[in-house]
Amino acid sequence: MVNVGILGATGMVGQRFIELLADHPNFEVTALTASSRSAGKRYEDAVTWHLESKIPESIGDTIVVDTDPNQVKDVEIVFSALPTQHAAVVEPKFAEAGMKVASNASAMRMEPDVPLVVPEVNPEHLDLIETQQRKRGWDGFIVTNPNCSTIALVMTLKPLYDQFNIKRVYVSTMQAVSGAGYNGVPSMAIVDNLVPFIGDEEEKMESETLHLLGDFDGTTVTNANFGVSASCHRVSVLDGHTEAVFIEMEDDFAVDEIKHSFSNFNGLPQKLNLHSAPENPIVIREELNRPQPRMDRMAGNGMAVSVGRIRKDDVFDNGLKYILVGHNTIRGAAGASILNAELINEIM
């Protein structure tokens, strides 16, 4: 078993890490960190638990410590659920101390020597770790996963990008309130309402998508050469991001070709049979009214992306459109970091 820690363990994403790691066959949670006001308390006493599952028995009595590498002992991997500003300062300290940091925070995502990885999409970008360690003089390293809405989108773009020439991508998101954290969106702002703005979300989707699908020459990543335009919106859904995707292709295609690409898509995690990897990363729903977040967010234990309403769009030249749903705090956050760590643990 590999001893792991969770940075920011009392927050929403930290709680998902605990839930998903509770019975993990390869990782054992031996350290939990949080702010100084929680340090020294039993986890059960420090946290306001928001998930439907119970706090795992093995975790409740664990004493929370400060988010300081000197306080985290005998741990090989740490999962970061820290806020961005805090992560920018703290994560490098853990890497410098020799730990492997699997981060869900955005602070280090676009650093040129930090791998931004979705294991089914660009596992080869993990080779940046050697460059990162050499450049920064670290014994450990940082690997990041993308933004929750980006992960769901790029999972569906990857098989199309490999088979067809994509010219432009337009995406409009309907994002769950859990993506903003428990206190992120006041109830009076979201009940009977839709909020047509999420800070920095559109910029993240547009930049991270091109980076993830970019060419890697062993030292640097060159962005994919197509356009991405995103419009992001918060809706009154608890979990599960829905995205309406419109794509302009260079060449004509048949809808059955698109479905075949989706249904046959798999990647290195599936070939290695990693614990958190969904058997089918993309699940096609043929019903006219699917996918829906409440019904489809747990596909593949929350790690798969459901796609439906796959059809041509005659407004665009060689246009394609479809709807997707992905679980934003499982596949889009904690589960993504865990799958990254599983892949690293397997191949490095």
Side-chain angles (χ1 to χ4, degrees), residues 136-348:
R136 298 176 186 253
W138 292 345
D139 291 326
F141 55 81
I142 300 171
V143 171
T144 63
N145 55 263
N147 181 48
C148 48
S149 51
T150 303
I151 291 175
L153 174 64
V154 82
M155 288 271 287
T156 65
L157 292 182
K158 173 62 175 174
L160 304 181
Y161 185 68
D162 286 347
Q163 186 172 349
F164 305 96
N165 293 316
I166 294 176
K167 186 176 180 181
R168 295 184 186 89
V169 175
Y170 307 85
V171 58
S172 181
T173 72
M174 292 146 277
Q175 297 183 215
V177 292
S178 59
Y182 189 80
N183 296 317
V185 183
S187 59
M188 289 288 286
I190 197 67
V191 173
D192 190 34
N193 201 20
L194 178 154
V195 181
F197 174 75
I198 305 173
D200 298 325
E201 194 81 0
E202 293 165 0
E203 293 83 359
K204 289 175 185 176
M205 288 197 76
E206 292 167 358
S207 61
E208 291 174 5
T209 297
L210 297 177
H211 186 85
L212 287 158
L213 293 173
D215 293 325
F216 178 59
D217 65 6
T219 56
T220 59
V221 177
T222 303
N223 282 354
N225 187 26
F226 60 86
V228 180
S229 178
S231 182
C232 297
H233 322 94
R234 190 75 69 192
V235 297
S236 186
V237 170
L238 182 60
D239 289 311
H241 287 354
T242 303
E243 303 179 19
V245 184
F246 305 82
I247 302 176
E248 286 188 77
M249 303 285 202
E250 292 284 358
D251 304 304
D252 195 15
F253 60 89
V255 169
D256 284 344
E257 291 181 282
I258 303 299
K259 291 182 178 181
H260 184 269
S261 293
F262 284 154
S263 61
N264 287 277
F265 174 61
N266 59 47
L268 190 55
Q270 285 71 37
K271 293 170 185 174
L272 295 175
N273 196 30
L274 298 181
H275 173 71
S276 298
E279 181 178 355
N280 298 301
I282 301 174
V283 176
I284 295 178
R285 304 299 315 200
E286 295 287 1
E287 302 92 328
L288 293 177
N289 63 346
R290 300 281 286 276
Q292 299 177 22
R294 192 174 65 192
M295 300 176 73
D296 297 303
R297 59 194 170 207
M298 288 305 298
N301 294 318
M303 291 294 286
V305 176
S306 297
V307 177
R309 302 202 65 209
I310 304 165
R311 60 219 193 273
K312 287 197 169 188
D313 188 332
D314 295 332
V315 172
F316 301 126
D317 291 335
N318 305 312
L320 168 69
K321 55 186 174 182
Y322 55 87
I323 305 294
L324 69 82
V325 166
H327 199 301
N328 53 297
T329 65
I330 299 181
R331 183 71 215 212
S337 292
I338 292 170
L339 190 58
N340 278 348
E342 290 173 357
L343 180 57
I344 290 165
N345 191 52
E346 181 74 21
I347 67 175
M348 297 185 67

Side-chain angles (χ1 to χ4, degrees), residues 107-145:
M108 305 291 289
R109 282 179 190 161
M110 300 309 291
E111 291 288 317
D113 60 345
V114 174
L116 177 69
V117 174
V118 176
E120 290 92 343
V121 174
N122 63 328
E124 67 278 5
H125 288 200
L126 289 173
D127 288 345
L128 275 171
I129 289 170
E130 184 177 341
T131 301
Q132 180 189 137
Q133 290 177 313
R134 184 174 62 250
K135 175 183 173 181
R136 298 176 186 253
W138 292 345
D139 291 326
F141 55 81
I142 300 171
V143 171
T144 63
N145 55 263

